[in-house]
Amino acid sequence: MAWFMKSEDDLSSRQNAICVLRDVVSADQGCVDGLMEIEGIEETLFHIVKVPICPRATKASLVVIHHMISSTQIKSGKTTLKFVQMGLINLILEILVDGDKSVCEKALGVMDDVCGWKEGRESAYENALTIPLLVKKILRVSDMATEFAISSLWKLCLGENENALVEAVQQGAFQKLLVVLQIGSGERTKVTELLKLMNLYRDKIDCFDSSMGFRYIKRSN
């Protein structure tokens, strides 16, 4: 399958190979471990996302990348570093700009995985679109996308990263997280922690309008 994925001349075979590979690694962790032993597999998967064959292949590649990065095998750290060095964060952000619901969910899932690593967070901090796009996707795509975006934001703000927190507040994260807290979310703990951290910086931001915080909150009966 890895060989077929590298074939530049047969797009149909490449598409079928990545879709089969997605199904295999989703069903068997052992296959994920074996996949990471194949030389050049990171470059192959990255190329399929960067130079799309079709939406189906792009989504399948993102799923495979997710399984590789989130693997419990020690090698997943080296795999993540390779993806980061190739520019995975920037590529994910490009996808998030105008991707459809399904691809955004998968891209945000990969973003969340990568932000779990120091190298991934450092790469995310370097791109000016990271915080704005993560905040934008909260409550805009789906419940799953919202949870991934919040989790990524939480990882980037850990340790009270002042720059990330200030930018998040400027982009409207505080208001959105209040709404998420009200309607309920699987990331409730992270939402609460983020709100506490962001609250420390609200008064330092001139453009922050405290009246906005409750504009979209429904009144309880």
Side-chain angles (χ1 to χ4, degrees):
M1 285 187 287
W3 183 83
F4 277 119
M5 284 162 51
K6 294 179 181 180
S7 175
E8 294 288 345
D9 299 326
D10 191 343
L11 294 181
S12 179
S13 294
R14 290 176 68 199
Q15 177 183 332
N16 291 333
I18 185 59
C19 289
V20 172
L21 186 60
R22 172 203 59 201
D23 295 340
V24 170
V25 299
S26 297
D28 188 346
Q29 175 61 40
C31 291
V32 179
D33 298 341
L35 180 64
M36 289 192 288
E37 299 297 330
I38 299 176
E39 184 176 355
I41 190 63
E42 294 90 354
E43 290 82 359
T44 299
L45 290 166
F46 183 86
H47 183 69
I48 292 176
V49 178
K50 186 175 179 61
V51 185
I53 301 172
C54 67
R56 186 164 172 250
T58 299
K59 295 170 189 176
S61 296
L62 289 171
V63 172
V64 175
I65 291 172
H66 157 70
H67 283 289
M68 292 174 69
I69 294 176
S70 61
S71 170
T72 57
Q73 191 184 40
I74 295 177
K75 188 175 174 61
S76 63
K78 295 180 180 179
T79 295
T80 303
L81 181 58
K82 285 184 180 180
F83 279 126
V84 170
Q85 291 174 337
M86 284 185 283
L88 181 60
I89 289 290
N90 294 339
L91 186 56
I92 290 299
L93 293 172
E94 289 176 13
I95 292 173
L96 291 177
V97 170
D98 57 6
D100 64 26
K101 173 184 174 182
S102 182
V103 75
C104 278
E105 287 177 343
K106 293 171 177 59
L108 285 167
V110 172
M111 172 68 81
D112 186 34
D113 294 329
V114 177
C115 285
W117 297 85
K118 177 184 176 182
E119 296 81 4
R121 291 191 295 275
E122 290 175 348
S123 178
Y125 293 138
E126 292 173 0
N127 194 307
L129 289 177
T130 299
I131 300 297
L133 281 175
L134 286 177
V135 174
K136 181 180 180 180
K137 297 304 175 181
I138 296 174
L139 298 173
R140 286 286 296 273
V141 181
S142 67
D143 291 345
M144 181 183 295
T146 291
E147 292 192 11
F148 282 139
I150 290 172
S151 181
S152 298
L153 200 59
W154 177 76
K155 290 172 183 176
L156 291 172
C157 292
L158 280 178
E160 296 187 26
N161 185 302
E162 183 169 349
N163 291 336
L165 285 165
V166 168
E167 185 174 8
V169 173
Q170 290 175 325
Q171 294 297 325
F174 191 87
Q175 300 96 300
K176 283 195 169 186
L177 291 174
L178 284 173
V179 177
V180 171
L181 189 63
Q182 185 200 35
I183 64 179
S185 167
E187 297 291 347
R188 187 179 182 87
T189 300
K190 293 177 181 177
V191 170
T192 302
E193 290 182 11
L194 279 171
L195 284 170
K196 288 179 180 178
L197 290 173
M198 290 179 185
N199 192 51
L200 299 175
Y201 294 92
R202 289 194 301 158
D203 294 336
K204 299 180 181 180
I205 302 174
D206 294 334
C207 65
F208 183 85
D209 179 1
S210 61
S211 65
M212 288 286 290
F214 301 95
R215 179 174 296 180
Y216 301 107
I217 297 199
K218 298 177 181 178
R219 295 178 180 273
S220 58
N221 294 326

